[in-house]
Amino acid sequence: MKILNLYGSLNGQTEKVALEIEKAAVQAGHNVSTVNLKKEGVLFDLLNYDFTFIGSGVYTWLPGKSVQDWINRQLAYAREKNLILPGSPRIPGKFACVYCTYAGPHTGEAEAVPAIKYMGQLFDHLGITVADEWSVIGAFVPEKMQHFNISGRLGNIEGRPNADDLKQVREKTIGLLGSLQSA
């Protein structure tokens, strides 16, 4: 499969997940292009890819600004090319996985859901099936926020995503891509 692996990472937590996705997909024999949207705001013809991963940290329930800005530019591109059709008919063989890293200090995983849904709408509007949605716990990095790593609803999340979290990402990546190949 030809895979586009997009992410926006402010403090490195989402980048850890994106790089794990890349390693797993390459190990499974796929062609992967990984792009940090914080550094590169390029546009893509998403229909040229069989599968797109997109991930971001969560900031007040939404993806980071670099990812939101990219989605807005990508949406304008899609409209300009008349790629968004009434009813958003599914395009066979085109899939996406939307994920985020989140700390959820106040309401837990519920803080991640709006960001995931926001990112998924771009693909859904294009007719690309959102095959999965993941939320991965990620500790706060900024020193002024680190107290949330031990006092939030999720308990002690220091050091997350950790090796076990990244192993789950690797396994989910391999399982998801494998399930679509055999379909």
Side-chain angles (χ1 to χ4, degrees), residues 10 21 25 49-50 52 59 64 67 71 84 86 88 97 111 118 122 127 130 140 166 168 171-172 177:
L10 186 61
I21 289 168
Y49 296 88
D50 304 307
T52 302
Y59 307 92
V67 174
I71 287 172
I84 299 175
S88 298
C97 176
E111 294 180 34
Y118 182 98
L122 171 65
V130 177
F140 283 104
L166 296 175
Q168 286 182 17
E171 290 173 354
K172 285 198 238 183
L177 295 175

Side-chain angles (χ1 to χ4, degrees), residues 160-180:
R160 307 274 304 267
N162 58 28
D164 288 336
D165 298 320
L166 296 175
K167 180 181 178 193
Q168 286 182 17
V169 167
R170 185 171 48 255
E171 290 173 354
K172 285 198 238 183
T173 301
I174 292 168
L176 178 58
L177 295 175
S179 74
L180 295 173

Side-chain angles (χ1 to χ4, degrees), residues 4 6 37 40-44 46 52 54 65-75 122-123:
L4 183 60
L6 305 170
L37 296 174
E40 305 171 50
V42 296
L43 296 176
F44 298 93
L46 296 172
T52 302
I54 186 167
K65 184 166 175 25
S66 63
V67 174
Q68 287 184 50
D69 290 347
W70 178 83
I71 287 172
N72 288 335
R73 288 192 312 277
Q74 194 69 44
L75 186 59
L122 171 65
F123 300 94

Side-chain angles (χ1 to χ4, degrees), residues 10-151:
L10 186 61
N11 295 302
Q13 306 300 49
T14 307
E15 184 171 53
K16 292 174 188 175
V17 174
L19 295 178
E20 200 63 38
I21 289 168
E22 178 183 47
K23 282 191 283 188
V26 167
Q27 179 184 353
H30 301 287
N31 176 9
V32 183
S33 299
T34 298
V35 178
N36 182 347
L37 296 174
K38 186 165 172 41
K39 296 179 182 175
E40 305 171 50
V42 296
L43 296 176
F44 298 93
D45 182 346
L46 296 172
L47 301 180
N48 282 338
Y49 296 88
D50 304 307
F51 199 101
T52 302
F53 287 94
I54 186 167
S56 176
V58 175
Y59 307 92
T60 316
W61 318 304
L62 291 175
K65 184 166 175 25
S66 63
V67 174
Q68 287 184 50
D69 290 347
W70 178 83
I71 287 172
N72 288 335
R73 288 192 312 277
Q74 194 69 44
L75 186 59
Y77 169 84
R79 285 183 177 134
E80 177 185 311
K81 300 288 183 185
N82 295 315
L83 298 175
I84 299 175
L85 304 175
S88 298
R90 300 298 90 188
I91 300 172
K94 303 297 178 184
F95 302 96
C97 176
V98 183
Y99 70 92
C100 69
T101 55
Y102 74 104
H106 302 101
T107 63
E109 192 171 4
E111 294 180 34
V113 173
I116 290 170
K117 295 299 185 186
Y118 182 98
M119 291 185 286
Q121 279 300 298
L122 171 65
F123 300 94
D124 203 17
H125 274 72
L126 287 168
I128 297 171
T129 299
V130 177
D132 214 348
E133 301 172 334
W134 303 340
S135 51
V136 180
I137 296 173
F140 283 104
V141 173
E143 192 172 326
K144 67 181 181 178
M145 301 183 83
Q146 287 184 7
H147 68 282
F148 285 122
N149 291 335
I150 57 172
S151 63

